[in-house]
Each structure stands twice: as structure tokens, then as C-alpha cells.
Amino acid sequence: MLARLLSKKPVFFLYLATLILTYLSLFECSEVDQNKKKGHLEPIFSYGKRHQVEVFEGFPTPKQFFQDFVSPSKPVLFKDAAKRSPAYKLWNDEYFLSYPESREYIVTVETKKKENRSQPANDVPFSTYLKHYRKKDVYMVNSVPNFLRKDVLVPSCLACENMIHENLLYNMMWMSNGGTKSVLHNDYAENLNCVFRGSKRFFIVDKKYMDLINVTDLGYSSVDVDRVDLDQYPGLYNMEHYEVTINPGDCLYVPFLWVHQVTSFNHNIAVNIWWKNKAEVDFDHCDPDANLTLKDVTFVGFDKIYDAEHKMIRGRLNHRIKTKGPMRFEDLMEVIIEAGDLVEPDSQMDGKIRELMKKVFVILDVDPTDGVITKKELDILSQDNLETIRNLFNEVIELQQQQENTNLPPPVKRELADEQLPPDWSKEERQGEDEWEENDLTDLWDDADGDHWPPAGGALVEPEIEPSAEKEEL
């Protein structure tokens, strides 16, 4: 056979070429299959091209920060930058409990350390959380309580007049006993995260890969960060990313829309600040040495960045249509209830709320003859219509709040209702949570050296009433 082929050279070389190509193809497929196993059903970013984040000692000037890092969307770790904040030395459980306000101030608590955005959160007194979180699978995610804001210095790279009164959106305090894991997500804002206790590991991915790794419509991915299924999420295979650890006293800048996943270690307290993307900073009116605290600045809230709300509205509806098909009116209502940030899942949908939602449906259903909202109709939705829908949603929120205020029971100051505590907390742990008498605090006011606790000039201030802020989902 071989001799016959050799006598016909063109045929022989064609045969040989076919054999070589077949072998190379099999080898390539084998290599891809082998590589695919790297990272498949393993923790997120176990493999892939990894970069290190630039490290900068302390904070730069505001002008340098915005020119060198914010404008080019470049993540950076500010080493030891948060150590000047009083929180770095003062914050611990005993310090927090020394404030009478801790008994009244309500905080939002996630009931699982591994984030699941469909998991409901609980609202509990701050003091209750402090007494139990070290033994429970819980995680406080709440804006910094007013009585503690004096302990957190505004990062000096943000200390410009128009930044601190017009462009800061929100602050968030993250507190746990470690072991928390976020979903893979991004934020519709610039982000600076400072750690005061424990450490946090960030994986960060350039926003240009958002679509590839499935962080699109909802602003987060449903991938299991502990066990990545590369068949379901192939875009994560060999993904280029950054890894950085924030230690106590460090701050990390995460650029606008950059995707990140966060894991915390050990007793953990961190505070982050979000601000508007493309904020125009007046560098002639900055004072990095002013030592401003969170009490000195204005947080305008995410509802002031309308494009973020427009993106959220379009994203949620798009996601529903992609996964389940065109929406009828009842499907739209289901999306709003499942979101949890317009109406409570167990609330009664009264006539006024339904009428507002019918107006939303009419705007979205461009072709009323079919009675459903399609992806094509969402794609042609104008900014004006999105703004009208946003205003209608805000009316729904106002009606919901009025309904909640009307149904509120008389305040009970000395006894906690069962529903204020996570369901896995035992009856014994529920008893006497707010039964403290004044002399119960004395042991917290004296440290081992006999010094007065809390430090002079700090703690016992008049309570400042502030409604508990809910975590924003962008």
C-alpha cells in the first residue's frame, strides 16, 4: 500500500498532509479539553492571566488621583491611607456598644455570608447584631450610623468642595466575622473601599469584559463563585483579571463599572464611598488637610443619578424577557415584587399601586394588540419614556412607604419582636436584648487600665434619628 502511494507522489503527499492535520486537530482539541478542566468547577479566577494592582503610599492629591487613576479607569491600592481615621484605632464591638444609640439604631443584616441577591435581609438593632454576629452566618451591610460618622475621615483625594456636597452618592459599612463572599458584580459609580479590621481579597475585571462574563442586565452574575461551571459561563475561562488584598488601613479604588468579587477574612469592618462617574472636580477648591469626616459631607443618594436608574429598569426587564419570554402585566408585577426594592414581597398591592404599574405597562407595550412586552419594544424605549417610568416607580415607592407607616404598630422600646431577629436565633438569644439598664454599661466604660471609655469628647451624644438605609443594587 505504501509503495503504491509513493509511486503516486501527489496522492502520497495529500495523504500525509491529511494525517498531519488530523493529528494536530486531535492534539489541539485534547489540549483545549485539558485546559478547560483548569478552573472548571473550581473557585472563581483560580486560573487566568493575573495582574497586580498598582500600590501607592497614602493618598495622592485630588488632582493626581483624578488625572492618574480615575480618568484612565485604573485600579489602585492606597497603602496605609485609612490609618489616619479614628475608626482605625477605635472601632470594636465594645466601642460600638458604649453608645446608647446602638440600641435604637436599626441596621440591615444579610442572613447568609455568601451573597445571594434573592435572599431577604433582616433589620435589627445595631446592639443586637453586635452581640450575636460572631456566632452567626450573618453580615451587616448598612450605611455608617450617624453617631459613628465622625470616626471616618473623608479620603483626602476626594476633599474638594463640589465633590463633598454635590457628587458623593452613598457610604456603606460592611461588618462581619469574616468569610463573606460577594457575587460577581459591578457598580454604576466610582468606588473607594477602606478596611479598618480584617482583610478583603478583591478580584477585579476590566469593564470591557462585562458582556463576556455575564455581568450585564442585572449588574451581577449568577455564577457560583466557589464552583464555576465553565460550560454555563464559558466567558470566565482563562479570564484576564486583577487580584489585590486590602489589609487594615488600606483603601482600594475600583473604577466605574469594573467587575469585582470580594471575599473577607477574619473579624472584618470596612467602609466604602461611591461617587458619580465623570464628576467635574473643581481642583481650585480642594483642601486635603481639612480632616473632614463623613458627618461633614453630603451624600446625595443613587436616586440622583438617573441614568443608573434607567439602566437598572431596562436591565431587569431585559433579564426577565431573556429568561422567560415576553411579559404580560402580571409578569411585570412579578418582576417588581421579586426585585424587593419597590414593594415588599409580602405587601398588599392596593389599587393605587396597580394603577401606576398599569401606566408603566402601557408605556412599555408599544404594540397593544398583543398584550405583552417584547425585547424589541424594550430596545426602542426612549430616554423620555424611561424617565417617565422612573417617576412612576418613585410614586410606587412613596405609596409603599405611606402604607408601611399607616400599618406601623405602636413603638415598643424595651422588648424586641421576634421578627426583628434572624429566624435561626434562639429564644434565649432573643430574650432581654434591649433590657439594659444604665449600670449595665459601666463595665464597657472602663478599660483594663482604668481609663474612661469611651474617650473624652466622643461617645455620649444625643441620638440622631436616621432611617436605616437599604443596600443599593445596581
Side-chain angles (χ1 to χ4, degrees), residues 118-177:
S118 63
Q119 179 77 21
N122 286 333
D123 291 335
V124 302
F126 189 28
S127 61
T128 300
Y129 177 75
L130 289 168
K131 294 175 188 177
H132 297 290
Y133 78 99
R134 290 181 181 266
K135 300 177 291 183
K136 302 293 179 182
D137 187 20
V138 291
Y139 186 18
M140 189 188 101
V141 182
N142 200 90
S143 63
V144 179
N146 263 5
F147 56 92
L148 296 176
R149 293 188 180 188
K150 63 181 176 50
D151 295 337
V152 182
L153 292 180
V154 174
S156 58
C157 58
L158 298 177
C160 301
E161 190 67 24
N162 68 326
M163 280 298 296
I164 63 174
H165 293 304
E166 300 171 17
N167 290 296
L168 299 185
L169 295 171
Y170 211 79
N171 71 81
M172 192 69 77
M173 180 175 174
W174 312 79
M175 183 177 180
S176 74
N177 199 33

Side-chain angles (χ1 to χ4, degrees), residues 297-312:
V297 302
T298 303
F299 291 96
V300 299
F302 279 105
D303 58 348
K304 299 300 181 185
I305 50 173
Y306 301 146
D307 53 344
E309 293 192 78
H310 294 168
K311 176 179 180 288
M312 179 190 70

Side-chain angles (χ1 to χ4, degrees), residues 1-9 11-13 15-16 19:
M1 176 71 177
L2 182 59
R4 190 177 300 170
L5 285 173
L6 285 172
S7 67
K8 300 178 180 180
K9 290 184 179 179
V11 176
F12 169 74
F13 285 119
Y15 177 74
L16 184 61
L19 284 176

Side-chain angles (χ1 to χ4, degrees), residues 199-230:
S199 62
K200 289 184 180 290
R201 183 192 64 205
F202 274 68
F203 288 123
I204 311 174
V205 178
D206 194 315
K207 64 182 178 182
K208 66 185 179 183
Y209 297 121
M210 271 195 308
D211 292 344
L212 187 62
I213 59 177
N214 253 48
V215 178
T216 50
D217 295 336
L218 296 178
Y220 67 94
S221 170
S222 298
V223 64
D224 184 343
V225 297
D226 288 324
R227 199 169 185 265
V228 176
D229 187 337
L230 290 176

Side-chain angles (χ1 to χ4, degrees), residues 217-254:
D217 295 336
L218 296 178
Y220 67 94
S221 170
S222 298
V223 64
D224 184 343
V225 297
D226 288 324
R227 199 169 185 265
V228 176
D229 187 337
L230 290 176
D231 292 329
Q232 187 176 359
Y233 300 95
L236 284 167
Y237 169 66
N238 210 30
M239 173 53 62
E240 181 178 6
H241 63 277
Y242 293 81
E243 181 187 23
V244 58
T245 297
I246 319 178
N247 291 311
D250 297 343
C251 298
L252 176 68
Y253 165 61
V254 180

